[in-house]
Amino acid sequence: MEGTTQRRVELYVRSLAPCGTSTEQNEIVERLRDLERRDVVDDVDLTVWGDAVCLDGASATVGTGRHVADRVREFHSWCGDGRTSLDPFFTWSTVESSLSGDSFRRVVLPQRCLALYDDGQLQEVYPRQVDGAVESLADGVRSLESATNGNADPSLAFEEV
């Protein structure tokens, strides 16, 4: 990899083998691993993050729960420029327990999410909207591929956001 920039890619998924999407998910992982083999990125990490997280709950203070909660906060802070939004891919809601009467805010997470870091600084998050235009996870992978070879691989089959 040219220069001294350390580039890391983090892929977040709801499950390692979701119904009907494992082929697409495997393709995403293989493309990211290929970018790693070609020294386009230095590291590829995969985290299973479930379907929702309560950022203020006890489970968001330890282990993977803390990692996921920290990343969700970081992603939302990153898009504070007014042009970029993670809506509707990260959906916030208030949930009220019929048993305890307590309420809490949670965020429903996308099926998949890609984050790109350069030297530890968040640079990109997919899926997202920029100036109202949707940019999918596939767009993020294509962007990484095109940065190295001048054009994206047209065989990239997955198109979900």
Side-chain angles (χ1 to χ4, degrees):
M1 196 165 154
E2 291 183 22
T4 59
T5 300
Q6 293 293 309
R7 179 166 282 176
R8 183 178 83 248
V9 173
E10 295 180 0
L11 176 64
Y12 294 86
V13 299
R14 284 193 185 169
S15 171
L16 291 178
C19 295
T21 62
S22 63
T23 300
E24 293 165 358
Q25 188 165 294
N26 287 337
E27 183 176 346
I28 294 166
V29 171
E30 284 303 317
R31 290 204 177 264
L32 293 174
R33 290 183 67 211
D34 180 59
L35 290 168
E36 185 178 29
R37 283 188 293 272
R38 293 188 293 135
D39 292 326
V40 176
V41 297
D42 297 295
D43 187 45
V44 175
D45 191 29
L46 178 106
T47 300
V48 177
W49 68 356
D51 64 349
V53 64
C54 174
L55 299 182
D56 298 324
S59 61
T61 64
V62 295
T64 301
R66 180 177 57 224
H67 176 76
V68 169
D70 288 348
R71 284 304 192 256
V72 169
R73 286 184 194 100
E74 180 182 29
F75 296 168
H76 281 275
S77 292
W78 170 80
C79 61
D81 65 1
R83 296 181 55 232
T84 306
S85 173
L86 299 180
D87 294 334
F89 313 107
F90 290 75
T91 308
W92 293 87
S93 63
T94 300
V95 178
E96 295 187 25
S97 170
S98 59
L99 298 175
S100 68
D102 294 337
S103 66
F104 59 91
R105 287 200 31 94
R106 73 172 185 168
V107 60
V108 177
L109 305 167
Q111 182 73 32
R112 297 183 194 104
C113 180
L114 184 72
L116 172 64
Y117 291 83
D118 284 341
D119 292 333
Q121 296 296 312
L122 180 61
Q123 301 298 312
E124 306 288 344
V125 177
Y126 298 91
R128 65 188 183 190
Q129 287 191 59
V130 178
D131 294 331
V134 171
E135 295 183 3
S136 70
L137 190 144
D139 294 325
V141 174
R142 282 190 192 103
S143 174
L144 285 167
E145 290 176 329
S146 67
T148 62
N149 62 14
N151 58 355
D153 185 340
S155 68
L156 191 59
F158 59 94
E159 285 298 329
E160 90 299 335
V161 291

